[in-house]
Amino acid sequence: MPTLSPQLLRSRIGKVCVAITGKTTAEVLEKAASTVKENTFFEVRLDYLDKPLLALDALKTFLASNPNTTAIATCRRTASGGKFAGTVTDEFNILCKAALSSFHLIDLPLESAEELKPASMDKLRDTGVSIIISHHDFAVTKDLDGIYDRIHRLSPDFIKIVPTAKTLADNLTLLHFLERKNESSNIIGICMGESGTISRVLGVRAGSAFTFAAATVGEETAPGQMSARTLTDIYRIDELDAATKVYGVAGNPVRHSLSPLMLNTAFRRETLNSVYLALQTTKLNDLLKLVHEIPIQGVSITMPFKQDILPYLERTDPLSAKIGACNTLLRAQDGKLYGFNTDVMGIIGPLERRLKLEGRRVLVLGAGGAARAAVFGLRDKGAEVSILNRTPENAQKLARQSHSKAIKREAVAKTHFDVIINATPVGMTGHKGAPLLEAGDLNTSLVFDLVYTPMETPLLRMARQRNIPVITGVEMFVQQGARQFEIWTGKPAPEEEMLRVVLHALKQQDNFGGTRNGSNEVVEEPAPEKKATAAERPPAIKKTSAIKTSKGSH
Ligand code: NAP
């Protein structure tokens, strides 16, 4: 039986504990064997097993043959949010046997610990195991100090407090709590929930002894949990320290955004001590509180905040002001916020790599946020812009504001355009809208679809079939992100690397038929080292007025 002091335990574990689940002993052993190849610290959720007691002998043998590992056993009852249907006594007996089966730590829920007699707790302690007493709140983040005091009274070796974040500010409550208690105890703190994912990354920096992760995507044991590889390879949790600069993408929804993958990859490639998080929120005030208190150095702003953020900015670049939307926040040293619109550069950049825009005739489909970025950016470069939109009044209004023209559907086929840009969601995976144009309408030299899921949209397929060169929405996505990186860091963005990981993630999504289990979380898994193929890479920037006519140049 290993008798390791909590301090010695802390020195041999990493920052990530992998939660292992399985219905059968064989399944748990298989997952444990695969986990320990990359991560030697894991928790076995005995409550997921059909017969937990029967698994313990085999787990003891496994731990004996893997002496460098550190293992937690827990058998959480349904009353504590787990799957174990037995009584407190049954739970206790299983955990005692786990303690005698070479597990180093036992996690006992607070509700169970408070029901047990002191003599039972002493019996568990006498096995030499370290005890975690945990509290999970599946509804809110509240009274962390009160919960702490209840746990502290029982003198465990580790105190684990896991509330649920409903807002980003709930993470602040937890992080401040961890900072206050860190000196005096071995504490573990995480917020569950979509809004709590940032605590899974920043918690260890605030003093949490470690955090929990799923063995692989799809095996999460708590809402908002990420996979171990996501935490270590993408968020680089082992490298975070007080000096780490924090960035993020804010909006609703952002859980499945590819921006954390892309920007964290860029930070890693440029060896910057920075991390980029998904900031899921429905309220702008919630975001602003987080930005000022963490503090967050820069934010990618997505729906629904692109317009609403403007009154909170000290200044914006001239195009953001014209467009009336900002997608990039920069927080200056004095805490003031500056706004930029890199969506414009994400559209204009790829076009200018292929043609000079001055005097070109461009048709923009749509009159929403992305269309506004396209239209004002194009007008700024001297292009002649026509706008076609489902609601003609919106096209007319944008045309008036930008000194462009609104065009009728029937006029499209009769007009030659140098470029047609789709700035509507039509063609996006899961969107039901009917195609806006037919093959005969593509009287153009270039088609740019801003939609990037799927990469090959019906519009792009139709254009390629007619030998019309295309630009994919992936190029816009990478370009707008690359410009954000440059605004925040002052360094050139590693565009090739950013493109590579985004393409890899999108291909994985496509392989899983769009999204897996209704989620595209599979994209968080890091991509193997490989350059983008020539067909996927955009052409290098060059000043030319001629449109390339060869097919598949990107
Ligand atoms: P938005 O502000 O909601 O505007 C949507 C526009 O599309 C509106 O003009 C709307 O017309 C039109 N529309 C919506 N559904 C339609 C349908 N079924 N048929 C015809 N028109 C329809 O959205 P947004 O922010 O501009 O984004 C538009 C698309 O651009 C997104 O879906 C996304 O795929 C893409 N995008 C890509 C990137 C990138 O990095 N690649 C960045 C931003 C956006 P009404 O005026 O009639 O409502």
Side-chain angles (χ1 to χ4, degrees):
M1 166 69 236
T3 46
L4 297 174
S5 72
Q7 293 330 318
L8 197 54
L9 272 172
R10 280 192 74 163
S11 68
R12 60 181 257 152
I13 59 176
K15 288 182 178 167
V16 177
C17 178
V18 180
I20 293 176
T21 61
K23 277 176 87 64
T24 63
T25 306
E27 197 184 332
V28 169
L29 288 174
E30 191 189 317
K31 286 185 188 170
S34 146
T35 295
V36 299
K37 286 182 195 150
E38 290 187 12
N39 204 316
T40 56
F41 184 29
F42 63 93
E43 173 194 61
V44 178
R45 287 289 301 264
L46 296 170
D47 50 312
Y48 278 65
L49 282 155
D50 287 336
K51 296 190 172 116
L53 266 180
L54 296 187
L56 290 171
D57 285 344
L59 284 165
K60 183 176 181 177
T61 308
F62 178 84
L63 292 172
S65 54
N66 290 277
N68 294 331
T69 59
T70 306
I72 304 175
T74 192
C75 192
R76 211 175 298 156
R77 288 177 303 131
T78 46
S80 313
K83 294 197 181 295
F84 185 59
T87 63
V88 177
T89 309
D90 296 334
E91 178 188 27
F92 178 74
N93 288 337
I94 290 169
L95 292 179
C96 278
K97 182 160 183 206
L100 296 170
S101 304
S102 300
F103 277 89
H104 307 81
L105 296 118
I106 294 298
D107 180 337
L108 190 62
L110 177 59
E111 304 79 26
S112 303
E114 284 180 333
E115 260 190 64
L116 290 168
K117 295 204 169 71
S120 299
M121 291 297 286
D122 290 343
K123 185 179 161 196
L124 189 56
R125 239 177 235 116
D126 287 347
T127 63
V129 80
S130 288
I131 299 175
I132 302 171
I133 294 185
S134 61
H135 182 271
H136 293 76
D137 187 328
F138 291 89
V140 289
T141 297
K142 99 170 176 212
D143 192 22
L144 303 183
D145 286 289
I147 295 162
Y148 177 90
D149 290 343
R150 277 171 64 197
I151 299 180
H152 193 251
R153 229 173 275 143
L154 297 162
S155 310
D157 300 297
F158 290 86
I159 293 176
K160 178 180 166 191
I161 298 184
V162 186
T164 292
K166 292 286 187 214
T167 62
L168 291 174
D170 284 339
N171 294 276
L172 288 173
T173 304
L174 178 88
L175 295 173
H176 291 325
F177 166 77
L178 287 171
E179 280 159 6
R180 279 202 314 278
K181 299 292 186 192
N182 178 24
E183 296 298 312
S184 55
S185 45
N186 284 317
I187 191 155
I188 302 136
I190 301 161
C191 282
M192 292 184 285
E194 296 281 298
S195 296
T197 52
I198 66 169
S199 73
R200 295 182 180 276
V201 179
L202 298 183
V204 288
R205 193 174 78 146
S208 182
F210 52 88
T211 189
F212 285 83
T216 61
V217 172
E219 291 186 70
E220 298 77 13
T221 56
Q225 200 176 67
M226 293 182 246
S227 76
R229 285 189 70 195
T230 299
L231 274 176
T232 52
D233 294 1
I234 296 176
Y235 290 97
R236 293 185 294 160
I237 194 164
D238 291 315
E239 293 165 36
L240 299 189
D241 57 25
T244 305
K245 290 186 174 169
V246 182
Y247 299 85
V249 52
N252 180 35
V254 292
R255 172 92 169 113
H256 303 304
S257 166
L258 289 176
S259 295
L261 174 74
M262 179 170 73
L263 270 306
N264 282 319
T265 299
F267 289 146
R268 187 183 59 206
R269 172 48 62 113
E270 296 305 308
T271 54
L272 294 171
N273 186 6
S274 302
V275 68
Y276 183 100
L277 307 167
L279 311 171
Q280 169 79 32
T281 185
T282 53
K283 296 198 174 68
L284 197 51
N285 279 344
D286 188 34
L287 170 67
L288 291 170
K289 190 168 159 55
L290 194 83
V291 167
H292 290 300
E293 284 196 33
I294 291 278
I296 296 190
Q297 312 292 335
V299 185
S300 310
I301 301 286
T302 65
M303 299 309 288
F305 301 133
K306 283 187 179 182
Q307 288 92 34
D308 299 353
I309 190 75
L310 291 176
Y312 299 90
L313 306 180
E314 182 69 14
R315 261 183 39 207
T316 60
D317 64 310
L319 271 175
S320 294
K322 263 192 202 169
I323 296 162
C326 147
N327 79 329
T328 309
L329 274 195
L330 173 70
R331 186 182 178 281
Q333 293 269 324
D334 59 6
K336 288 182 177 155
L337 302 176
Y338 295 84
F340 302 84
N341 194 315
T342 67
D343 281 341
V344 178
M345 302 175 235
I347 297 166
I348 299 305
L351 288 170
E352 284 194 322
R353 286 178 175 200
R354 292 159 171 94
L355 73 158
K356 192 166 176 286
L357 286 168
E358 193 174 357
R360 298 290 181 169
R361 300 171 114 189
V362 184
L363 171 65
V364 174
L365 306 174
R372 289 182 74 82
V375 170
F376 281 102
L378 288 161
R379 292 292 298 129
D380 194 52
K381 296 289 176 187
E384 280 178 33
V385 180
S386 301
I387 305 164
L388 175 67
N389 190 47
R390 177 178 62 180
T391 310
E393 298 76 41
N394 294 345
Q396 284 151 9
K397 188 172 167 204
L398 176 55
R400 272 196 307 279
Q401 290 170 342
S402 59
H403 306 290
S404 315
K405 285 191 291 214
I407 187 170
K408 291 205 165 85
R409 170 73 180 75
E410 51 277 19
V412 170
K414 296 180 209 141
T415 318
H416 175 79
F417 293 101
D418 294 299
V419 187
I420 295 179
I421 301 175
N422 174 40
T424 77
V426 174
M428 197 166 77
T429 307
H431 193 272
K432 302 243 171 341
L436 295 165
L437 301 179
E438 289 165 13
D441 297 318
L442 297 186
N443 186 5
T444 180
S445 308
L446 181 63
V447 172
F448 188 176
D449 199 338
L450 305 191
V451 172
Y452 64 93
T453 47
M455 280 187 284
E456 181 79 349
T457 62
L459 176 66
L460 294 186
R461 205 175 312 122
M462 198 159 75
R464 283 193 214 268
Q465 278 162 2
R466 293 175 66 90
N467 284 340
I468 301 170
V470 302
I471 307 177
T472 71
V474 179
E475 202 170 324
M476 173 186 177
F477 180 69
V478 172
Q479 288 299 309
Q480 59 80 34
R483 302 295 79 79
Q484 291 182 326
F485 178 94
E486 289 166 357
I487 287 167
W488 294 330
T489 66
K491 289 170 182 285
E495 283 178 24
E496 174 96 2
E497 182 71 354
M498 293 165 79
L499 176 67
R500 182 184 70 78
V501 291
V502 171
L503 287 173
H504 176 80
L506 288 170
K507 276 178 193 157
Q508 275 191 302
Q509 273 184 23
D510 283 353
N511 291 343
F512 282 102
T515 57
R516 193 166 73 164
N517 299 331
S519 116
N520 65 359
E521 234 191 321
V522 67
V523 303
E524 288 180 352
E525 295 299 338
E529 288 289 324
K530 184 180 153 291
K531 282 183 181 284
T533 65
E536 294 161 342
R537 237 182 349 253
I541 299 172
K542 81 180 141 178
K543 298 275 175 235
T544 164
S545 60
I547 294 179
K548 283 194 173 175
T549 48
S550 67
K551 204 177 155 192
S553 60
H554 40 82

